[in-house]
């Protein structure tokens, strides 16, 4: 998030320091205070603050003063005085693409990515901040190549969040997007709900208020991501605090529409290669903690579905069995690989 950095997610700070992670969602701002010490991630506390309608939408702040007041109020109420901040968000204005380029020296890769994205997409590349990572290296016709995951976020979003946090006296040093934050925790840790994700392909479903984020990792390595424009807002008068799927029995057509769109993403992914499969689904965020939702999804896609309740070497000091599922984006962003 530093303004002199060319990519999202970069940090000029040393790793393994205690920090505040702020996940700006569409209906809540979620916070996590924690520290990564070697392979151990210790989360001291998590909390959240409600976002009133009209304050923030899809990465864009419509009322910066109200945003500042909400964040500061939450920090004061939870006695958080940390200044080092990581921020994570998701936006449909973020452009994500897989890209294959010739392998070049690290100092030349940024320029090549900017050029290729500028050629590939009808956008003004100078209006975006780019983030990329090498997914794999391979050879094709005796030429060494990189497969990259590239994300581009409008500079307006980056600048406004950075400026707001600076005005609050905080020290923002990294900005991430949800899919990258979760990708990092899947790559770093192996046991989710005491079972290895390094042996198969897992789909992570972030069931948010505005969108459903579908992230696919093969043996812990990112492979695919799509954002679906459906979420818990579709329940209108219902809230995300419902305890059991039976309470929305009259609205299951909404969930069925979600599942239909999710299944389309799965089918697209598996159609790309005969080796592509989805072996397990992990759900988190939003309404994921509703009892029976995992079973309902499983029965319709015929793939095992689990709510994320534990991750090896991730210790939550003050939480409950739903803390990981409810705050995974904020917790994941603490990792700065």
């Amino acid at each position: 998030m530093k303004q002199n950095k060319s990519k999202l997610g970069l940090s000029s700070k040393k790793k393994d320091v205690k920090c505040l992670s702020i996940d700006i969602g569409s209906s809540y701002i979620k916070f996590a205070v924690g520290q990564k010490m070697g392979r151990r991630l210790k989360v001291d506390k998590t909390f959240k603050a409600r976002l009133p309608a009209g304050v923030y939408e899809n990465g864009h702040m419509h009322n910066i003063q109200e945003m500042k007041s909400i964040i500061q109020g939450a920090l004061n109420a939870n006695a958080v005085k940390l200044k080092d901040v990581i921020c994570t968000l998701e936006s449909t204005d973020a452009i994500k693409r897989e890209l294959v380029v010739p392998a070049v020296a690290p100092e030349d890769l940024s320029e090549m990515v900017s050029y290729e994205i500028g050629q590939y997409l009808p956008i003004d590349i100078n209006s975006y901040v780019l983030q990329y990572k090498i997914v794999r290296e391979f050879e094709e016709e005796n030429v060494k190549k990189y497969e990259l995951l590239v994300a581009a976020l409008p500079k307006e979003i980056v600048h406004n969040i950075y400026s707001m946090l600076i005005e609050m006296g905080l020290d923002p040093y990294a900005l991430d997007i949800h899919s990258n934050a979760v990708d990092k925790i899947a790559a770093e840790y192996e046991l989710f709900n005491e079972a290895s994700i390094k042996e198969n392909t897992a789909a992570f479903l972030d069931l948010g208020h505005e969108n459903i984020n579908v992230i696919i990792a093969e043996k812990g390595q990112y492979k695919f991501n799509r954002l679906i424009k459906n979420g818990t807002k579709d329940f209108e008068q219902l809230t995300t605090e419902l305890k059991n799927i039976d309470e929305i029995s009259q609205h299951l057509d909404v969930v069925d529409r979600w599942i239909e769109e999710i299944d389309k993403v799965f089918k697209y992914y598996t159609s790309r290669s005969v080796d592509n499969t989805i072996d397990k689904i992990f759900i988190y965020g939003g309404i994921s903690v509703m009892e029976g939702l995992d079973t309902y999804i499983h029965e319709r896609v015929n793939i095992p579905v689990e709510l994320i309740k534990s991750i090896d070497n991730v210790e939550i000091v003050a939480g409950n069995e739903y803390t990981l599922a409810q705050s995974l984006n904020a917790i994941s962003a603490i990792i700065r690989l």
Side-chain angles (χ1 to χ4, degrees), residues 28-259:
Y28 285 95
I29 302 176
K30 297 181 180 179
F31 304 82
V33 174
Q35 181 177 9
K36 186 171 182 291
M37 300 169 287
R39 293 204 67 249
R40 179 176 171 231
L41 177 60
K42 181 181 179 183
V43 181
D44 294 323
K45 66 171 63 177
T46 61
F47 52 98
K48 65 182 180 180
R50 182 78 184 185
L51 262 177
V55 175
Y56 172 90
E57 182 182 10
N58 198 35
H60 300 275
M61 292 183 290
H62 301 309
N63 189 330
I64 294 178
Q65 292 305 314
E66 181 68 10
M67 281 283 289
K68 289 165 61 176
S69 177
I70 292 169
I71 293 173
Q72 192 62 62
L75 298 183
N76 292 344
N78 289 275
V80 175
K81 300 185 182 299
L82 289 170
K83 299 298 183 182
D84 291 335
V85 177
I86 295 172
C87 193
T88 181
L89 57 85
E90 193 57 82
S91 171
T92 56
D93 289 341
I95 299 171
K96 305 170 192 176
R97 291 293 185 274
E98 294 85 28
L99 188 66
V100 174
V101 299
V104 296
E107 59 268 22
D108 298 324
L109 192 53
S110 292
E111 184 175 348
M112 177 176 287
V113 170
S114 296
Y115 174 80
E116 292 292 336
I117 288 294
Q119 295 295 307
Y120 185 67
L121 298 172
I123 62 172
D124 177 7
I125 197 64
N126 294 319
S127 298
Y128 286 78
V129 178
L130 289 181
Q131 175 183 10
Y132 63 85
K133 65 183 296 183
I134 299 174
V135 177
R136 68 183 177 104
E137 300 179 22
F138 65 99
E139 278 197 12
E140 188 175 71
E141 297 180 352
N142 296 320
V143 176
K144 185 178 179 182
K145 295 184 178 182
Y146 292 145
E147 180 183 345
L148 305 175
L149 167 64
V150 183
L153 192 64
K155 284 184 177 179
E156 175 194 357
I157 292 177
V158 178
H159 172 75
N160 286 343
I161 292 175
Y162 174 84
S163 298
M164 177 191 69
L165 296 174
I166 287 293
E167 290 173 9
M168 295 178 62
L170 300 173
D171 185 7
Y173 60 92
L175 172 63
D176 224 336
I177 54 177
H178 288 167
S179 55
N180 190 53
V182 173
D183 169 37
K184 288 188 293 187
I185 206 167
E188 179 76 359
Y189 301 110
E190 179 174 357
L191 301 180
F192 281 62
N193 296 349
E194 302 183 352
S196 174
I197 63 166
K198 305 296 186 182
E199 300 173 356
N200 51 37
T201 299
F204 295 84
L205 304 183
D206 182 2
L207 306 178
H209 181 73
E210 294 281 344
N211 304 295
I212 296 173
N213 204 354
V214 183
I215 305 161
I216 297 176
E218 179 183 328
K219 297 182 179 179
Q221 297 298 314
Y222 172 94
K223 286 297 178 182
F224 190 77
N225 168 231
R226 285 294 181 269
L227 202 61
I228 298 172
K229 293 182 180 180
N230 293 95
T232 56
K233 68 173 184 177
D234 294 334
F235 287 117
E236 296 180 352
Q237 77 275 15
L238 301 179
T239 75
T240 59
E241 304 299 327
L242 294 172
K243 303 298 183 183
N244 193 294
I245 197 167
D246 293 338
E247 298 179 44
I248 58 167
S249 59
Q250 302 302 313
H251 303 271
L252 288 177
D253 58 317
V254 174
V255 182
D256 290 337
R257 288 199 299 271
W258 296 354
I259 295 172

